[in-house]
Amino acid sequence: DLAFFGEKDWQQLAVIRRMARDLDLVSPRAAAIHGVATVREADGLAMSSRNAYLSSEDRARAAALPRLMRETIDAVMAGRPMNEALAALGNGLLEAGFAAIDYAEIRSAETLAPVTALAAGPARLLVAARIGGARLIDNMPIA
């Protein structure tokens, strides 16, 4: 009757919620699709089995991901253009030792459509970046 999905993979959660609505699976088969909050390490990095692939040096550098994401959200909330804030996020990750950024985008929390203005409704900052032997994903709400 209940389905629980981690918010760490926000895109998966949004797709499952939409699929349940589109296929009318919400009732009676599943009473609700619930998002479970991301659990974070003391330094803010999202807990993940992928973190085990990181060397101790890469693990320490990976802590830049949540810090830079929070800085990006603060900058956007303060009025910095989204494209500038996202570019600074990417540059910051590369400077911190990440090898590549697969994506760093602000999207609608519900539809995953690109967001150009925060007034459009709830949004999420979505990031996937590679460091060491791991591809880390994370997301945070923009409120």
Side-chain angles (χ1 to χ4, degrees):
D1 291 332
L2 301 172
F4 296 88
F5 291 85
E7 290 182 355
K8 181 173 174 292
D9 190 341
W10 187 265
Q11 296 95 313
Q12 173 183 271
L13 175 59
V15 168
I16 294 294
R17 283 178 170 159
R18 179 60 187 250
M19 183 181 72
R21 278 193 308 271
D22 288 354
L23 297 175
D24 198 24
L25 299 177
V26 175
S27 178
R29 291 185 192 95
I33 307 295
H34 295 280
V36 179
T38 301
V39 178
R40 295 188 177 276
E41 302 283 352
D43 61 7
L45 187 65
M47 284 191 178
S48 172
S49 59
R50 298 173 188 192
N51 296 350
Y53 298 120
L54 299 172
S55 68
S56 58
E57 295 82 15
D58 286 337
R59 173 59 187 82
R61 287 190 281 270
L65 177 60
R67 177 181 52 78
L68 290 166
M69 289 176 68
R70 285 189 300 275
E71 289 176 9
T72 300
I73 291 167
D74 290 345
V76 168
M77 294 297 296
R80 186 170 186 186
M82 288 183 193
N83 61 336
E84 289 180 15
L86 291 171
L89 169 62
N91 290 335
L93 289 172
L94 294 173
E95 289 171 7
F98 280 77
I101 294 87
D102 292 343
Y103 59 82
E105 300 178 0
I106 297 174
R107 297 286 182 130
S108 163
E110 184 177 334
T111 68
L112 300 178
V115 171
T116 57
L118 292 182
R124 304 287 291 196
L125 172 59
L126 307 168
V127 179
R130 297 176 187 274
I131 186 168
R135 179 179 185 262
L136 303 181
I137 62 169
D138 204 345
N139 73 88
M140 293 180 181
I142 299 178

PDB file of all heavy atoms in Angstrom, residues 58-80:
ATOM      1  N   ASP A  58      40.104  11.563  -1.889  1.00  0.00           N
ATOM      2  CA  ASP A  58      38.928  11.932  -2.685  1.00  0.00           C
ATOM      3  C   ASP A  58      37.706  12.110  -1.792  1.00  0.00           C
ATOM      4  O   ASP A  58      36.879  12.985  -2.039  1.00  0.00           O
ATOM      5  CB  ASP A  58      38.636  10.888  -3.764  1.00  0.00           C
ATOM      6  CG  ASP A  58      39.624  10.961  -4.920  1.00  0.00           C
ATOM      7  OD1 ASP A  58      40.230  12.035  -5.115  1.00  0.00           O
ATOM      8  OD2 ASP A  58      39.784   9.941  -5.613  1.00  0.00           O
ATOM      9  N   ARG A  59      37.606  11.298  -0.751  1.00  0.00           N
ATOM     10  CA  ARG A  59      36.459  11.425   0.156  1.00  0.00           C
ATOM     11  C   ARG A  59      36.484  12.797   0.831  1.00  0.00           C
ATOM     12  O   ARG A  59      35.457  13.455   0.967  1.00  0.00           O
ATOM     13  CB  ARG A  59      36.485  10.294   1.196  1.00  0.00           C
ATOM     14  CG  ARG A  59      35.435  10.406   2.307  1.00  0.00           C
ATOM     15  CD  ARG A  59      34.023  10.425   1.753  1.00  0.00           C
ATOM     16  NE  ARG A  59      33.050  10.693   2.773  1.00  0.00           N
ATOM     17  CZ  ARG A  59      32.731  11.890   3.240  1.00  0.00           C
ATOM     18  NH1 ARG A  59      33.355  12.972   2.781  1.00  0.00           N
ATOM     19  NH2 ARG A  59      31.800  12.044   4.150  1.00  0.00           N
ATOM     20  N   ALA A  60      37.655  13.252   1.225  1.00  0.00           N
ATOM     21  CA  ALA A  60      37.774  14.574   1.849  1.00  0.00           C
ATOM     22  C   ALA A  60      37.416  15.668   0.849  1.00  0.00           C
ATOM     23  O   ALA A  60      36.718  16.631   1.186  1.00  0.00           O
ATOM     24  CB  ALA A  60      39.186  14.780   2.389  1.00  0.00           C
ATOM     25  N   ARG A  61      37.858  15.520  -0.411  1.00  0.00           N
ATOM     26  CA  ARG A  61      37.543  16.519  -1.440  1.00  0.00           C
ATOM     27  C   ARG A  61      36.054  16.500  -1.805  1.00  0.00           C
ATOM     28  O   ARG A  61      35.482  17.524  -2.172  1.00  0.00           O
ATOM     29  CB  ARG A  61      38.399  16.284  -2.683  1.00  0.00           C
ATOM     30  CG  ARG A  61      39.851  16.684  -2.499  1.00  0.00           C
ATOM     31  CD  ARG A  61      40.595  16.661  -3.837  1.00  0.00           C
ATOM     32  NE  ARG A  61      40.974  15.319  -4.234  1.00  0.00           N
ATOM     33  CZ  ARG A  61      42.121  14.730  -3.924  1.00  0.00           C
ATOM     34  NH1 ARG A  61      43.017  15.374  -3.206  1.00  0.00           N
ATOM     35  NH2 ARG A  61      42.393  13.510  -4.338  1.00  0.00           N
ATOM     36  N   ALA A  62      35.429  15.337  -1.705  1.00  0.00           N
ATOM     37  CA  ALA A  62      34.015  15.203  -2.064  1.00  0.00           C
ATOM     38  C   ALA A  62      33.103  16.047  -1.179  1.00  0.00           C
ATOM     39  O   ALA A  62      32.000  16.412  -1.593  1.00  0.00           O
ATOM     40  CB  ALA A  62      33.591  13.740  -2.002  1.00  0.00           C
ATOM     41  N   ALA A  63      33.566  16.400  -0.001  1.00  0.00           N
ATOM     42  CA  ALA A  63      32.771  17.240   0.898  1.00  0.00           C
ATOM     43  C   ALA A  63      32.485  18.614   0.299  1.00  0.00           C
ATOM     44  O   ALA A  63      31.580  19.317   0.749  1.00  0.00           O
ATOM     45  CB  ALA A  63      33.469  17.383   2.246  1.00  0.00           C
ATOM     46  N   ALA A  64      33.233  18.978  -0.729  1.00  0.00           N
ATOM     47  CA  ALA A  64      32.977  20.263  -1.401  1.00  0.00           C
ATOM     48  C   ALA A  64      31.632  20.252  -2.110  1.00  0.00           C
ATOM     49  O   ALA A  64      31.022  21.318  -2.296  1.00  0.00           O
ATOM     50  CB  ALA A  64      34.092  20.570  -2.402  1.00  0.00           C
ATOM     51  N   LEU A  65      31.143  19.076  -2.514  1.00  0.00           N
ATOM     52  CA  LEU A  65      29.896  19.007  -3.272  1.00  0.00           C
ATOM     53  C   LEU A  65      28.724  19.625  -2.514  1.00  0.00           C
ATOM     54  O   LEU A  65      28.106  20.582  -3.019  1.00  0.00           O
ATOM     55  CB  LEU A  65      29.603  17.564  -3.693  1.00  0.00           C
ATOM     56  CG  LEU A  65      28.291  17.332  -4.444  1.00  0.00           C
ATOM     57  CD1 LEU A  65      28.231  18.129  -5.734  1.00  0.00           C
ATOM     58  CD2 LEU A  65      28.116  15.846  -4.730  1.00  0.00           C
ATOM     59  N   PRO A  66      28.373  19.160  -1.325  1.00  0.00           N
ATOM     60  CA  PRO A  66      27.224  19.779  -0.648  1.00  0.00           C
ATOM     61  C   PRO A  66      27.470  21.234  -0.250  1.00  0.00           C
ATOM     62  O   PRO A  66      26.556  22.055  -0.282  1.00  0.00           O
ATOM     63  CB  PRO A  66      26.989  18.886   0.569  1.00  0.00           C
ATOM     64  CG  PRO A  66      28.289  18.188   0.791  1.00  0.00           C
ATOM     65  CD  PRO A  66      28.911  18.035  -0.572  1.00  0.00           C
ATOM     66  N   ARG A  67      28.725  21.545   0.081  1.00  0.00           N
ATOM     67  CA  ARG A  67      29.034  22.937   0.459  1.00  0.00           C
ATOM     68  C   ARG A  67      28.801  23.870  -0.727  1.00  0.00           C
ATOM     69  O   ARG A  67      28.152  24.916  -0.607  1.00  0.00           O
ATOM     70  CB  ARG A  67      30.485  23.043   0.949  1.00  0.00           C
ATOM     71  CG  ARG A  67      30.907  24.470   1.301  1.00  0.00           C
ATOM     72  CD  ARG A  67      32.350  24.541   1.758  1.00  0.00           C
ATOM     73  NE  ARG A  67      33.314  23.923   0.865  1.00  0.00           N
ATOM     74  CZ  ARG A  67      33.773  24.478  -0.256  1.00  0.00           C
ATOM     75  NH1 ARG A  67      33.346  25.671  -0.637  1.00  0.00           N
ATOM     76  NH2 ARG A  67      34.664  23.855  -1.010  1.00  0.00           N
ATOM     77  N   LEU A  68      29.316  23.492  -1.891  1.00  0.00           N
ATOM     78  CA  LEU A  68      29.151  24.323  -3.084  1.00  0.00           C
ATOM     79  C   LEU A  68      27.689  24.365  -3.539  1.00  0.00           C
ATOM     80  O   LEU A  68      27.229  25.389  -4.055  1.00  0.00           O
ATOM     81  CB  LEU A  68      30.062  23.831  -4.204  1.00  0.00           C
ATOM     82  CG  LEU A  68      31.551  24.075  -3.961  1.00  0.00           C
ATOM     83  CD1 LEU A  68      32.399  23.259  -4.934  1.00  0.00           C
ATOM     84  CD2 LEU A  68      31.875  25.554  -4.063  1.00  0.00           C
ATOM     85  N   MET A  69      26.973  23.287  -3.330  1.00  0.00           N
ATOM     86  CA  MET A  69      25.545  23.297  -3.671  1.00  0.00           C
ATOM     87  C   MET A  69      24.791  24.297  -2.798  1.00  0.00           C
ATOM     88  O   MET A  69      23.965  25.067  -3.297  1.00  0.00           O
ATOM     89  CB  MET A  69      24.952  21.894  -3.530  1.00  0.00           C
ATOM     90  CG  MET A  69      25.429  20.931  -4.606  1.00  0.00           C
ATOM     91  SD  MET A  69      24.822  19.248  -4.383  1.00  0.00           S
ATOM     92  CE  MET A  69      23.065  19.488  -4.708  1.00  0.00           C
ATOM     93  N   ARG A  70      25.079  24.297  -1.497  1.00  0.00           N
ATOM     94  CA  ARG A  70      24.419  25.274  -0.600  1.00  0.00           C
ATOM     95  C   ARG A  70      24.787  26.699  -0.996  1.00  0.00           C
ATOM     96  O   ARG A  70      23.932  27.599  -0.997  1.00  0.00           O
ATOM     97  CB  ARG A  70      24.791  24.987   0.854  1.00  0.00           C
ATOM     98  CG  ARG A  70      24.072  23.766   1.431  1.00  0.00           C
ATOM     99  CD  ARG A  70      24.280  23.623   2.933  1.00  0.00           C
ATOM    100  NE  ARG A  70      25.682  23.482   3.302  1.00  0.00           N
ATOM    101  CZ  ARG A  70      26.355  22.330   3.302  1.00  0.00           C
ATOM    102  NH1 ARG A  70      25.773  21.219   2.952  1.00  0.00           N
ATOM    103  NH2 ARG A  70      27.627  22.304   3.661  1.00  0.00           N
ATOM    104  N   GLU A  71      26.050  26.932  -1.350  1.00  0.00           N
ATOM    105  CA  GLU A  71      26.478  28.261  -1.789  1.00  0.00           C
ATOM    106  C   GLU A  71      25.745  28.669  -3.068  1.00  0.00           C
ATOM    107  O   GLU A  71      25.371  29.834  -3.226  1.00  0.00           O
ATOM    108  CB  GLU A  71      27.990  28.288  -2.023  1.00  0.00           C
ATOM    109  CG  GLU A  71      28.802  28.216  -0.749  1.00  0.00           C
ATOM    110  CD  GLU A  71      30.301  28.135  -1.001  1.00  0.00           C
ATOM    111  OE1 GLU A  71      30.749  28.310  -2.170  1.00  0.00           O
ATOM    112  OE2 GLU A  71      31.041  27.882  -0.028  1.00  0.00           O
ATOM    113  N   THR A  72      25.540  27.736  -3.972  1.00  0.00           N
ATOM    114  CA  THR A  72      24.833  28.016  -5.222  1.00  0.00           C
ATOM    115  C   THR A  72      23.390  28.395  -4.940  1.00  0.00           C
ATOM    116  O   THR A  72      22.866  29.364  -5.505  1.00  0.00           O
ATOM    117  CB  THR A  72      24.895  26.790  -6.160  1.00  0.00           C
ATOM    118  OG1 THR A  72      26.279  26.503  -6.428  1.00  0.00           O
ATOM    119  CG2 THR A  72      24.150  27.042  -7.456  1.00  0.00           C
ATOM    120  N   ILE A  73      22.746  27.652  -4.066  1.00  0.00           N
ATOM    121  CA  ILE A  73      21.357  27.955  -3.706  1.00  0.00           C
ATOM    122  C   ILE A  73      21.271  29.329  -3.061  1.00  0.00           C
ATOM    123  O   ILE A  73      20.400  30.130  -3.407  1.00  0.00           O
ATOM    124  CB  ILE A  73      20.789  26.853  -2.791  1.00  0.00           C
ATOM    125  CG1 ILE A  73      20.626  25.553  -3.591  1.00  0.00           C
ATOM    126  CG2 ILE A  73      19.471  27.292  -2.159  1.00  0.00           C
ATOM    127  CD1 ILE A  73      20.365  24.321  -2.751  1.00  0.00           C
ATOM    128  N   ASP A  74      22.184  29.615  -2.142  1.00  0.00           N
ATOM    129  CA  ASP A  74      22.190  30.935  -1.497  1.00  0.00           C
ATOM    130  C   ASP A  74      22.364  32.049  -2.524  1.00  0.00           C
ATOM    131  O   ASP A  74      21.696  33.080  -2.456  1.00  0.00           O
ATOM    132  CB  ASP A  74      23.304  31.019  -0.450  1.00  0.00           C
ATOM    133  CG  ASP A  74      23.038  30.149   0.773  1.00  0.00           C
ATOM    134  OD1 ASP A  74      21.883  29.697   0.958  1.00  0.00           O
ATOM    135  OD2 ASP A  74      23.994  29.910   1.540  1.00  0.00           O
ATOM    136  N   ALA A  75      23.254  31.832  -3.494  1.00  0.00           N
ATOM    137  CA  ALA A  75      23.508  32.851  -4.521  1.00  0.00           C
ATOM    138  C   ALA A  75      22.268  33.077  -5.378  1.00  0.00           C
ATOM    139  O   ALA A  75      21.905  34.227  -5.664  1.00  0.00           O
ATOM    140  CB  ALA A  75      24.693  32.442  -5.397  1.00  0.00           C
ATOM    141  N   VAL A  76      21.615  32.006  -5.778  1.00  0.00           N
ATOM    142  CA  VAL A  76      20.402  32.134  -6.601  1.00  0.00           C
ATOM    143  C   VAL A  76      19.299  32.821  -5.803  1.00  0.00           C
ATOM    144  O   VAL A  76      18.594  33.694  -6.320  1.00  0.00           O
ATOM    145  CB  VAL A  76      19.957  30.749  -7.122  1.00  0.00           C
ATOM    146  CG1 VAL A  76      18.556  30.804  -7.719  1.00  0.00           C
ATOM    147  CG2 VAL A  76      20.956  30.213  -8.147  1.00  0.00           C
ATOM    148  N   MET A  77      19.156  32.451  -4.542  1.00  0.00           N
ATOM    149  CA  MET A  77      18.130  33.073  -3.697  1.00  0.00           C
ATOM    150  C   MET A  77      18.412  34.558  -3.484  1.00  0.00           C
ATOM    151  O   MET A  77      17.490  35.346  -3.304  1.00  0.00           O
ATOM    152  CB  MET A  77      18.045  32.348  -2.347  1.00  0.00           C
ATOM    153  CG  MET A  77      17.555  30.909  -2.443  1.00  0.00           C
ATOM    154  SD  MET A  77      15.881  30.749  -3.080  1.00  0.00           S
ATOM    155  CE  MET A  77      14.961  31.569  -1.804  1.00  0.00           C
ATOM    156  N   ALA A  78      19.682  34.933  -3.529  1.00  0.00           N
ATOM    157  CA  ALA A  78      20.065  36.331  -3.359  1.00  0.00           C
ATOM    158  C   ALA A  78      19.948  37.125  -4.661  1.00  0.00           C
ATOM    159  O   ALA A  78      20.206  38.320  -4.682  1.00  0.00           O
ATOM    160  CB  ALA A  78      21.491  36.426  -2.818  1.00  0.00           C
ATOM    161  N   GLY A  79      19.574  36.441  -5.750  1.00  0.00           N
ATOM    162  CA  GLY A  79      19.351  37.152  -7.001  1.00  0.00           C
ATOM    163  C   GLY A  79      20.407  36.967  -8.074  1.00  0.00           C
ATOM    164  O   GLY A  79      20.304  37.539  -9.160  1.00  0.00           O
ATOM    165  N   ARG A  80      21.436  36.185  -7.805  1.00  0.00           N
ATOM    166  CA  ARG A  80      22.449  35.938  -8.843  1.00  0.00           C
ATOM    167  C   ARG A  80      21.806  35.148  -9.987  1.00  0.00           C
ATOM    168  O   ARG A  80      21.059  34.205  -9.749  1.00  0.00           O
ATOM    169  CB  ARG A  80      23.618  35.154  -8.261  1.00  0.00           C
ATOM    170  CG  ARG A  80      24.779  34.993  -9.229  1.00  0.00           C
ATOM    171  CD  ARG A  80      25.997  34.422  -8.555  1.00  0.00           C
ATOM    172  NE  ARG A  80      27.126  34.419  -9.477  1.00  0.00           N
ATOM    173  CZ  ARG A  80      28.289  33.878  -9.203  1.00  0.00           C
ATOM    174  NH1 ARG A  80      28.492  33.302  -8.030  1.00  0.00           N
ATOM    175  NH2 ARG A  80      29.269  33.913 -10.090  1.00  0.00           N
TER     176      ARG A  80
END
